[in-house]
Amino acid sequence: MLEGDTVTLRCRWRQGMSVNEVRFHHGGKEVRGPLPGTKLFLSPLQLNHSGHYYCWFLVKTRESEKWQQSAPVTVTVHKIPIPWVSVWAQPPRGQVALGDRLVLNCTVAMGTRPLSFTWHREGSGAPLGTSPRLELRHVGNNDSGHYHCWVSNGDSVAESVPLNVTVLVPVANATITPGPLSHEVHTGDNVTLHCSVQVGSAPVTFTWRHNGREVAQGPILELGDVDVRDSGTYQCVATNQLGQDGHCMFRALSPELALEVSPGSPWVTAVATGVGGSLLFLVLLVAVIVGWHRRHHLGG
C-alpha cells in the first residue's frame, strides 16, 4: 500500500464458534479502531502502519472462555513516489544579463516528505546547492548552461527537465570605422562606414542615424556618389536584448562622426586643361616661326 491509502482488516473465525470479544494487535500492542467490532480501519495509511497485524478473540465454550490468536497479516506501507519535478527561473526562462541575479526554484508535485534536493549544472562536479531554491547573486559567463535538480524521499529519486540558463553580455563600446571622427570628402566620392562593438552577445542589431534621424539598418553604411546633402553627423546605435519578447534591451551609442562633403570644381579643371593646351600650342608655334626664320635667314 501507499501512504494515504485505506486498508480494512477483518477478524474472522470458524462457523459455529461463539466469540464474545475481538481485539487487534500490531507489533505486540493493542490497536483500537474508531469503532469496536470485527473490523479495523487504517486510514489514511502512514509509514508507521507497516508491520504484522493479528486479532485476539475471546472464544466461549460450555466449560470456559479463552483467548485465541489469528494468523498474522503483514501490511507494508511505501512512501509516495515522486511523479515529476520541475524547475522555473527568475528572470523568466533563465535568460539573465551579466552581473545580475538569478533564482532557480525546484517544484515537486507530490511525494512523501521529507524530501532532499540537489542542484547540478551540466559538466559541473559537486552539487551547487541542497535546497529547493538556488540563488546566483552575480552571474558570470561561466554560469551559462543546463541546470537540473534531483529530488529524493529515500525510496525514489526524480530528476527535473534541464533548464537552459543563458547569460547575456550587454553591448558596449560601439565604434565607427574608419576613424578619425571627422572626414572631408568631395561630391561623387563613395563612403563606407562600419559599426562594431567591443563586447555583446549575439544577435546584435545596428541602426544608423544621420543628424539624429534614422537612415539605415545593419553594421555597414554605404554612401555612394555623395553630395553636399550627405554632410553632417553620423552615429551608430548597437542593441541586443534578453528573450525574444525583448523584456530587457541594452543599447550602446557610438561617438558621432562628422562628414563634410566639399563640392567639386570641374570648371577650374577645364580651365587648367585649356590653359595648358594653349601654352603648348604657343610654344610650338613660336618654335616653328623661329625655325622658319632661321632657315630663311641662313638661306638668304
Side-chain angles (χ1 to χ4, degrees):
M1 310 293 288
L2 293 177
E3 273 190 300
D5 289 344
T6 299
V7 67
T8 302
L9 303 179
R10 293 182 175 88
C11 190
R12 295 179 177 177
W13 49 87
R14 294 191 305 271
Q15 187 176 3
M17 294 179 60
S18 177
V19 176
N20 291 341
E21 188 177 350
V22 175
R23 296 178 182 179
F24 287 90
H25 284 251
H26 172 223
K29 296 182 179 180
E30 183 177 350
V31 180
R32 296 185 178 275
L35 295 174
T38 60
K39 297 180 182 180
L40 175 64
F41 297 95
L42 300 177
S43 177
L45 279 177
Q46 301 176 12
L47 293 177
N48 58 11
H49 286 149
S50 295
H52 301 293
Y53 289 80
Y54 51 89
C55 62
W56 287 86
F57 46 96
L58 183 61
V59 180
K60 181 179 180 182
T61 63
R62 293 181 181 180
E63 295 80 14
S64 62
E65 294 180 339
K66 66 176 181 179
W67 288 95
Q68 295 186 14
Q69 180 182 345
S70 69
V73 171
T74 301
V75 175
T76 304
V77 182
H78 294 281
K79 294 180 179 181
I80 299 175
I82 304 169
W84 58 265
V85 180
S86 64
V87 174
W88 59 276
Q90 183 63 36
R93 295 179 294 279
Q95 297 177 334
V96 59
L98 183 69
D100 283 355
R101 173 173 167 265
L102 173 69
V103 176
L104 301 178
N105 290 277
C106 191
T107 303
V108 181
M110 58 185 298
T112 300
R113 271 59 174 174
L115 301 174
S116 61
F117 298 81
T118 53
W119 286 94
H120 300 270
R121 185 180 69 243
E122 185 178 16
S124 64
L128 304 176
T130 56
S131 68
R133 185 172 182 267
L134 177 66
E135 180 177 356
L136 304 177
R137 294 184 179 274
H138 302 283
V139 297
N141 287 321
N142 296 331
D143 292 322
S144 294
H146 291 85
Y147 288 73
H148 58 271
C149 73
W150 290 81
V151 182
S152 173
N153 62 6
D155 281 355
S156 62
V157 178
E159 179 185 3
S160 69
V161 175
L163 174 70
N164 186 27
V165 171
T166 303
V167 179
L168 180 135
V169 179
V171 290
N173 298 333
T175 56
I176 297 177
T177 55
L181 300 180
S182 176
H183 284 279
E184 183 175 353
V185 297
H186 295 88
T187 56
D189 288 348
N190 294 325
V191 177
T192 302
L193 301 178
H194 298 261
C195 185
S196 61
V197 292
Q198 185 176 4
V199 294
S201 299
V204 179
T205 60
F206 299 91
T207 302
W208 289 93
R209 295 176 179 176
H210 177 217
N211 295 329
R213 184 174 60 89
E214 183 177 325
V215 293
Q217 298 282 340
I220 300 176
L221 177 64
E222 296 278 359
L223 300 175
D225 194 16
V226 298
D227 59 24
V228 177
R229 292 175 298 178
D230 293 317
S231 296
T233 58
Y234 288 83
Q235 189 175 39
C236 168
V237 182
T239 59
N240 63 355
Q241 63 186 28
L242 286 175
Q244 295 181 352
D245 56 353
H247 61 273
C248 187
M249 183 171 291
F250 304 93
R251 185 174 70 167
L253 299 176
S254 72
E256 291 184 341
L257 180 143
L259 184 69
E260 182 179 352
V261 180
S262 301
S265 304
W267 180 83
V268 174
T269 303
V271 169
T273 303
V275 170
S278 300
L279 289 175
L280 178 60
F281 176 78
L282 290 176
V283 170
L284 291 176
L285 180 60
V286 170
V288 170
I289 294 173
V290 170
W292 178 85
H293 185 270
R294 291 182 63 184
R295 290 181 62 184
H296 180 73
H297 178 72
L298 292 174

